[in-house]
């Protein structure tokens, strides 16, 4: 008989899959090591995805970019502005600054070197004249040489005069010219005639020559006078000249005072067309929309790494502060999923932008939908904030992109938190798509786009929302299964009576099936009364006794018309068989990949209660002096911790006890509920449970009301001849009465 009891039913058991072994391995790791390793991996992945573009070597400063965006290059594609940008127009700014520099007044200064240079040139000329006069050349040749020696035009008659005048007269011409030039330079600076707005102390070149002519008339007469006037005026050079260094400084100052001229590129405006030659204006616009980035890739990498490290620090603090509240089950798996989702959607954003898609199409709302359903809204909001910032950096430090993604994704969190079925998910997704369209339209207007461009962006926002919905609907069942995370949709699937495992329960243990269905209804009503997860309580009830499928005949609800197998067992062995259904249920649940929350209800629905019937029977049959160990008659799979597990434990006990009553009346049902609660409290079964004392009594009231409703008034039909075929034969030996066993130990 023991061999039969311990035999395994291969129909309910299977070896774990690779994914299940991986989850078990993750859960078995040291939590601190796992979190540190996951933080480092997430930091490295996000930093690389944000800072490293399509060509990693080019991003890190090695090699040349393939795009070749430079002045004179030919564009290989149509390039449109992903957003409206106001930027400094280098062409217009340069033109304005050139105009300001050209309009700046020249700076003049009196050049003290000019008088000496002029006198030296005059002396050198007359030295040359003296050489020509003393030469043996013919007269006409001498005259020509004198004319050619002058640095300015000299009439032939003046050259002839210099040849035929005697030496004293030529010396007088030179001397008078020197003196007149010296006196003039000492009296006032001389400027060119073209110079405007000269000071009153400055003499123009034409006026100075007139003064030299007058001075020559005072010094001499005849040919000497004419020659003095000719050569003093001819050698006269302005000494009020432009100070080039000061003028250049003034030009630069005037140019620098010109404010940069701003130009605007509208969202979706074509910057350059395929086959067009790039000019400075095109390059400036490409830089403005971050198609071209003129920055040190290593400093960018450092900056991004610091930002992501800050994000990881905030996430770490958040998990330290709130993790226990929001991650009650499978914490390691859920954190792994959160990190995976952030990396996945950041990679998706990088792919969208690298392939040239509008960054406003990035379906971040899909992350919100998935994360809210799988991980909860509080953790999801932190993930959305981090992801929105990161995608904004990827999109060219676009603050408006960050704002649009944050608003639409935040709305998605608010909407998805109420989703409990696939149909509701579809409806919520359509609302999210509309909200994303409105947000994108508004952000486009804020960025300076025209109405037509903003409307087109709104259409893209609608596409973003629909893409997010499709992505969420495709990935949700995959992630539910891969990470074994319980969601409202999965609970609904598990609650389907056509579910294969429930169907097997109906076939193998019909009494247990009926009991589980009724406990599910009681638990659901009680959970609704106190605001617990009613769906989880109902589904947990459906599966809480699946372990009885292994040996259904050993449980009273399945013994109708059958011999009680406990008659052949000792009380201790019977207790082991009864307790075994919890362990069997866990093994079956794991084999069928039931969520952890359901497994916990299976494990804890009896708490550590005593199997009272067999404990008393063991004491009655014990020999004198024999000690019965109570621990052998108590369940050992843990007391209820969640509110739902506590509700199921109470509903399970009350339902079985009431069912054992011959004539259940409202008063007797009320007494059963009150007695069951008192015994559970006295036995410490709620010591580790999240239920408060007030909630425990509210749960009892809800179960009592439901049980009274189930029993209801019955019409007493007239006596009829009993149908022999309908009579159930009594077992040859008494069966453990549920009314005895249930208040303290649950259905055996």
């Amino acid at each position: 008989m023991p061999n039969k009891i311990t035999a395994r039913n291969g129909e309910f058991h299977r070896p774990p899959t690779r994914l299940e072994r991986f989850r078990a391995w993750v859960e078995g790791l040291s939590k601190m090591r796992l979190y540190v390793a996951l933080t480092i991996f997430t930091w490295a992945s996000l930093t690389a995805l944000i800072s490293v573009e399509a060509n990693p070597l080019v991003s890190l400063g090695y090699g040349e970019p393939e795009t070749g965006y430079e002045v004179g290059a030919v564009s290989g594609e149509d390039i449109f502005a992903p957003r409206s940008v106001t930027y400094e127009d280098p062409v217009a700014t340069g033109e304005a600054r050139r105009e300001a520099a050209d309009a700046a007044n020249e700076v003049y200064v009196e050049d003290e070197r000019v008088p000496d240079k002029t006198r030296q040139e005059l002396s050198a000329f007359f030295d040359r004249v003296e050489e020509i006069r003393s030469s043996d050349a013919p007269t006409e040749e001498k005259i020509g040489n004198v004319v050619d020696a002058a640095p300015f035009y000299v009439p032939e008659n003046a050259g002839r005069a210099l040849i035929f005048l005697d030496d004293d007269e030529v010396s007088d011409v030179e001397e008078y010219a020197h003196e007149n030039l010296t006196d003039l330079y000492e009296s006032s600076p001389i400027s060119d005639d073209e110079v405007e707005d000269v000071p009153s102390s400055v003499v123009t070149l034409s006026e100075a020559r007139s003064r030299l002519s007058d001075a020559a008339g005072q010094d001499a007469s005849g040919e000497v006078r004419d020659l003095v006037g000719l050569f003093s005026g001819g050698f006269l050079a302005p000494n009020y000249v432009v100070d080039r260094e000061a003028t250049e400084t003034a030009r630069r100052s005037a140019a620098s005072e010109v404010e940069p001229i701003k130009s605007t590129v509208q969202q979706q405006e074509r910057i350059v067309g395929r086959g067009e030659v790039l000019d400075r204006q095109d390059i400036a616009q490409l830089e403005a929309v971050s198609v071209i980035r003129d920055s040190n890739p290593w400093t960018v990498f450092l900056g991004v790494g610091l930002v992501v490290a800050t994000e990881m620090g905030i996430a770490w603090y958040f998990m330290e502060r709130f993790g226990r509240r929001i991650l009650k089950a499978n914490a390691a798996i859920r954190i792994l999923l959160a990190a995976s989702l952030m990396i996945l959607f950041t990679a998706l954003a990088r792919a969208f932008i690298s392939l040239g898609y509008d960054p406003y199409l990035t379906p971040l709302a899909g992350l919100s939908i998935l994360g809210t359903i799988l991980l909860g809204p509080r953790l999801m909001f932190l993930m959305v904030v981090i992801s929105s910032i990161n995608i904004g950096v990827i999109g060219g430090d676009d603050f408006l992109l960050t704002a649009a993604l944050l608003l639409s994704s935040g709305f998605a969190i608010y909407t998805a938190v109420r989703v409990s079925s696939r149909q509701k998910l579809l409806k919520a997704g359509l609302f999210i798509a509309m909200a994303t369209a409105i947000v994108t339209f508004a952000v486009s207007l804020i960025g300076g786009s025209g109405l037509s461009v903003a409307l087109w962006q709104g259409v893209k926002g609608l596409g973003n929302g629909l893409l997010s919905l499709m992505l969420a609907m495709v990935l949700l069942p995959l992630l539910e299964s891969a990470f074994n995370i319980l969601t409202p949709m999965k609970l609904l699937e598990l609650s389907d009576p056509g579910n294969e495992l429930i169907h097997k329960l109906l076939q193998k243990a019909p009494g247990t099936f009926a009991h589980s269905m009724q406990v599910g209804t009681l638990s659901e009503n009680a959970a609704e009364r106190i605001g617990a997860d009613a769906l989880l309580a109902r589904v947990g009830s459906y599966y809480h006794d699946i372990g009885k499928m292994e040996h259904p005949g050993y449980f009273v609800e399945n013994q109708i018309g059958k011999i009680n197998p406990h008659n052949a067992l000792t009380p201790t062995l019977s207790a082991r068989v009864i307790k075994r259904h919890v362990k069997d249920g866990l093994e079956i649940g794991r084999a069928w990949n039931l969520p952890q929350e359901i497994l916990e209800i299976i494990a804890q629905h009896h708490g550590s209660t005593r199997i009272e019937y067999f404990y008393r029977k063991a004491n009655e049959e014990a020999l004198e002096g024999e000690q019965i160990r109570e621990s052998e008659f108590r369940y050992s799979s843990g007391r209820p911790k969640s509110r739902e597990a506590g509700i199921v434990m109470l509903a399970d006990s009350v339902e079985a006890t009431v069912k054992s009553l011959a004539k259940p009346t409202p008063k007797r049902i009320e007494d059963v509920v009150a007695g069951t609660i008192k015994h559970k409290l006295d036995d410490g079964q709620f010591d580790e449970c999240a239920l408060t004392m007030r909630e425990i009594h509210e749960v009892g009231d809800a179960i009592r009301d439901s049980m009274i409703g189930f029993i209801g008034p019955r019409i007493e039909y007239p006596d009829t001849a009993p149908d022999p075929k309908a009579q159930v034969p009594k077992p040859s030996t008494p069966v453990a009465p549920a009314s005895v066993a249930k208040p303290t130990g649950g259905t055996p």
Side-chain angles (χ1 to χ4, degrees), residues 532-697:
D533 191 335
L535 186 57
L536 174 59
R538 174 160 64 92
V539 176
S541 299
Y542 287 176
Y543 292 89
H544 78 287
D545 273 343
I546 57 172
K548 293 181 180 180
M549 288 192 294
E550 287 285 359
H551 310 291
Y554 285 87
F555 299 92
V556 65
E557 67 267 24
N558 300 311
Q559 294 175 359
I560 300 175
K562 299 178 182 179
I563 297 175
N564 186 356
H566 289 285
N567 295 335
L569 303 178
T570 65
T572 302
L573 187 55
S574 292
R576 289 179 184 175
V577 174
I578 297 301
K579 289 194 297 182
R580 184 63 180 259
H581 85 277
V582 175
K583 183 179 179 182
D584 290 339
L586 287 173
E587 292 181 359
I588 294 173
R590 292 190 182 103
W592 284 78
N593 203 27
L594 292 181
Q596 181 65 29
E597 292 84 348
I598 303 296
L599 295 178
E600 289 177 357
I601 290 177
I602 293 173
Q604 299 167 10
H605 78 276
H606 281 301
S608 60
T609 53
R610 189 171 62 197
I611 304 173
E612 193 68 25
Y613 176 79
F614 291 111
Y615 177 69
R616 293 181 181 180
K617 185 177 180 182
N619 280 307
E620 291 172 0
E621 295 178 359
L623 300 175
E624 185 176 354
E626 181 182 359
Q627 295 293 326
I628 302 299
R629 289 187 297 178
E630 185 186 16
S631 61
E632 293 183 352
F633 295 87
R634 281 191 178 272
Y635 290 95
S636 58
S637 52
R639 295 169 180 169
K641 293 181 173 57
S642 67
R643 295 198 295 174
E644 292 76 19
I647 291 171
V648 172
M649 179 180 70
L650 205 53
D652 180 37
S653 295
V654 170
E655 193 276 340
T657 305
V658 171
K659 188 179 290 184
S660 69
L661 298 177
K663 291 185 178 181
T665 63
K667 181 64 172 68
R668 296 185 70 184
I669 292 174
E670 184 175 354
D671 292 341
V672 167
V673 172
T676 301
I677 292 175
K678 183 178 184 304
H679 185 83
K680 297 290 185 188
L681 289 172
D682 293 344
D683 201 28
Q685 299 305 314
F686 290 108
D687 288 355
E688 301 175 15
C689 189
L691 288 170
T692 63
M693 286 296 297
R694 179 178 179 179
E695 288 175 338
I696 291 172
H697 289 288

Side-chain angles (χ1 to χ4, degrees), residues 187-423:
S187 63
S188 62
I190 300 163
S191 68
D192 275 321
D193 292 336
E194 292 79 10
V195 179
E196 298 178 355
D197 300 328
V198 296
S200 59
S201 59
V202 178
V203 178
T204 62
L205 187 61
S206 58
E207 183 182 351
R209 283 173 178 165
S210 176
R211 290 185 182 184
L212 289 174
S213 179
D214 294 341
Q218 295 175 2
D219 294 334
S221 61
E223 288 184 330
V224 174
R225 179 196 62 200
D226 295 339
L227 291 173
V228 170
L230 173 65
F231 288 104
S232 61
F235 278 98
L236 178 65
N239 67 337
Y240 187 71
V241 295
V242 175
D243 186 340
R244 298 192 179 280
E245 184 177 348
T247 299
E248 187 60 31
T249 301
R251 287 175 177 271
R252 288 196 299 267
S253 177
S256 65
E257 291 176 358
V258 176
E259 294 292 332
I261 296 177
K262 303 290 185 180
S263 295
T264 300
V265 179
Q266 296 295 332
Q267 193 172 34
Q268 292 306 305
E269 177 183 340
R270 193 179 73 167
I271 297 175
V272 63
R274 183 183 181 89
E276 293 182 1
V277 178
L278 299 176
D279 56 21
R280 287 187 61 203
Q281 184 81 7
D282 298 330
I283 297 298
Q285 291 178 349
L286 292 174
E287 290 176 347
V289 297
S290 301
V291 173
I292 301 176
R293 296 193 184 190
D294 185 16
S295 57
N296 187 328
W298 287 106
T299 58
V300 172
F301 190 85
L302 175 62
V304 170
L306 291 175
V307 169
V308 176
T310 303
E311 294 170 348
M312 293 298 99
I314 294 172
W316 186 284
Y317 173 77
F318 180 87
M319 297 309 300
E320 283 288 325
R321 182 73 174 80
F322 304 106
R324 291 184 180 178
R325 282 192 236 169
I326 62 179
L327 299 177
K328 296 179 180 179
N330 296 335
I333 290 294
R334 290 173 183 266
I335 292 176
L336 177 61
L337 173 60
S340 301
L341 286 175
M342 277 206 301
I343 294 172
L344 171 64
F345 277 82
T346 305
L348 189 62
R350 168 57 71 191
F352 266 59
I353 294 172
S354 297
L355 293 174
Y357 293 112
D358 192 324
Y360 284 84
L361 285 173
T362 305
L364 188 62
L367 171 65
S368 297
I369 297 171
L370 286 171
T372 302
I373 295 173
L374 294 171
L375 302 171
R378 283 188 284 185
L379 178 58
M380 193 61 247
F381 189 77
L382 174 66
M383 293 169 58
V384 162
V385 171
I386 292 175
S387 298
S388 298
I389 293 172
N390 294 343
I391 295 173
V393 175
I394 294 174
D397 307 326
D398 190 349
F399 168 75
L400 290 178
L401 173 60
T402 295
L405 293 175
L406 187 57
L407 289 172
S408 58
S409 300
F411 180 82
I413 293 173
Y414 174 79
T415 306
V417 77
R418 294 174 172 80
V419 169
S420 59
S421 67
R422 310 284 178 189
Q423 290 180 339

